[in-house]
Amino acid sequence: MSLFIAMSLLRRSVGAIGGAVSVLAAMACGGATEEGSATTTSSSKSSAALPAPESTNYPRQANGFRFHWAGAPGIELEVGPAVALRAYLESMRLSTFAGGDPSSVYPGFMRATPENIEPGMSPADLFQLQSVRPKTRAQYGADGPKYAEREIFGYQPTYVLDLSPRGDGYRATVCLGAYSVYRTDDVGREKYFSTAADEHTGQMLRADSDIQFWRVELTENDPRTVDAPPSPSISQTGPLPAPLTDVFGKWFITGSSQGLWGPPGQGENIETPELRQRCEAAMPDDAASRKAMATGFHDAPPPHGGPVPGWPR
């Protein structure tokens, strides 16, 4: 927690200085034009090749971006189910940034997740099983916009609000700050804006698009991972932005959603006013700083710092 707070203070200081000059997608709904996933292009500069990946198992689109994790008191991010949770959510986000590129997920991800089910009206068509894996590039293309490679910048505050035993596994409630995840415009790539904002106006996509909410359930007792390798034996913290090897072990994701949870017609909306209030309080940046970062066009993205807690060499 102390490192998370220290990074927050550093970012606020830099943000305050940048704010005097110029302060300084939908993954929340699976949208194709947010957070670098897909769009139409209109210039040769927008289709220029991206630099090579700087880290193993970390996509080149995210060279200038880092995850910053923290958790409620008592939640250990470096061991146990939180390690698989981190690897899962980072994989989901990175795949979105890379426009559905399957190679952008971490080793073991496909084994640790079930195939998405099609939406339906049967009681078995649970909402939390429809988007356990990220959308593919073909699915983004089917929605209309053409994929355009672009880089993602900044940092993503990710707070594990709750990680509690449930049945033979765990249920996690996670708050995700989208306001400090930046991309560039597609015309000149000279201005930066938050993925929580509209690319044309710079205004927030919704009044609450600065923070996202995830519910994830996972277990070590699913028969689909009986032959999986053991979980890591060392603490999963270090200077790398991505794990070098499979860190999922026998953990299996049994459900994941950013919206509804349960069967059709009886779905529970995981976002409540109380949850939003708690997530806002858990963010390292106050409301004014979040709004400043989430709106407008900027000359530079927020400084990303190192990964927190990061992954070992």
Side-chain angles (χ1 to χ4, degrees), residues 22 30 44 87 102 126 151 160 190 194 228:
S22 176
S44 59
L126 301 175
E151 294 179 85
V160 184
E190 297 172 346
S194 170

Side-chain angles (χ1 to χ4, degrees), residues 7 26 28 56-57 71 119 121 128 160 170-171 185 260 266 291:
M7 288 300 301
T56 302
N57 296 326
M121 294 305 297
Q128 62 266 32
V160 184
Y170 287 82
R171 170 179 284 185
D185 66 277
L260 296 175
Q266 304 176 49
K291 184 176 181 180

Side-chain angles (χ1 to χ4, degrees), residues 4-311:
F4 191 68
I5 294 171
M7 288 300 301
S8 172
L9 293 175
L10 174 61
R11 290 194 299 271
R12 291 184 188 182
S13 298
V14 175
I17 296 172
V21 181
S22 176
V23 182
L24 104 353
M27 190 61 185
C29 303
T33 58
E34 293 181 39
E35 303 183 357
S37 55
T39 188
T40 55
T41 61
S42 57
S43 74
S44 59
K45 194 170 184 178
S46 68
S47 60
L50 298 183
E54 296 178 356
S55 301
T56 302
N57 296 326
Y58 204 64
R60 58 184 181 174
Q61 290 88 345
N63 282 343
F65 167 84
R66 294 294 183 267
F67 292 100
H68 293 180
W69 287 80
I75 295 178
E76 298 182 89
L77 297 173
E78 301 85 4
V79 295
V83 171
L85 176 67
R86 285 168 51 203
Y88 170 70
L89 285 179
E90 289 187 13
S91 293
M92 291 289 287
R93 297 291 284 163
L94 292 172
S95 180
T96 296
F97 298 158
D101 181 358
S103 68
S104 61
V105 299
Y106 292 162
F109 176 89
M110 300 304 286
R111 186 200 66 250
T113 56
E115 291 187 8
N116 294 339
I117 67 170
E118 293 293 329
M121 294 305 297
S122 165
D125 298 326
L126 301 175
F127 289 112
Q128 62 266 32
L129 297 180
Q130 295 175 14
S131 299
V132 184
R133 290 180 179 175
K135 292 175 68 173
T136 65
R137 188 163 294 182
Q139 289 172 318
Y140 279 125
D143 289 339
K146 177 183 177 182
Y147 173 69
E149 284 199 325
R150 67 167 65 90
E151 294 179 85
I152 293 293
F153 304 90
Y155 61 94
Q156 178 186 289
T158 313
Y159 191 87
V160 184
L161 196 65
D162 185 64
L163 182 60
S164 302
R166 186 176 181 87
D168 63 353
Y170 287 82
R171 170 179 284 185
T173 302
V174 182
C175 314
L176 183 158
Y179 58 89
S180 52
V181 183
Y182 272 42
R183 51 162 283 202
T184 58
D185 66 277
D186 284 326
V187 178
R189 293 199 171 183
E190 297 172 346
K191 292 294 183 180
Y192 298 82
F193 62 95
S194 170
T195 59
D198 182 273
E199 63 181 307
H200 303 294
T201 67
Q203 298 305 304
M204 289 175 60
L205 293 164
R206 301 182 309 277
D208 59 355
S209 62
D210 59 330
I211 298 176
Q212 300 176 7
F213 311 90
W214 289 68
R215 177 184 292 175
V216 179
E217 290 188 352
L218 65 167
T219 181
E220 271 191 306
N221 300 303
D222 193 283
R224 286 168 285 192
T225 60
V226 64
D227 295 323
S231 297
S233 59
I234 63 172
S235 178
Q236 293 300 294
T237 180
L240 300 181
L244 294 177
T245 59
D246 183 346
V247 296
F248 286 97
K250 294 186 179 299
W251 290 103
F252 190 82
I253 308 301
T254 56
S256 175
S257 178
Q258 295 176 259
L260 296 175
W261 193 277
Q266 304 176 49
E268 168 199 1
N269 191 340
I270 66 171
E271 180 181 346
T272 64
E274 178 191 8
L275 177 60
R276 167 159 281 279
Q277 186 176 37
R278 293 174 66 194
C279 283
E280 288 177 346
M283 289 293 103
D285 304 288
D286 62 27
S289 298
R290 294 197 305 270
K291 184 176 181 180
M293 282 189 277
T295 56
F297 297 95
H298 311 279
D299 294 328
H304 59 68
V308 182
W311 301 93

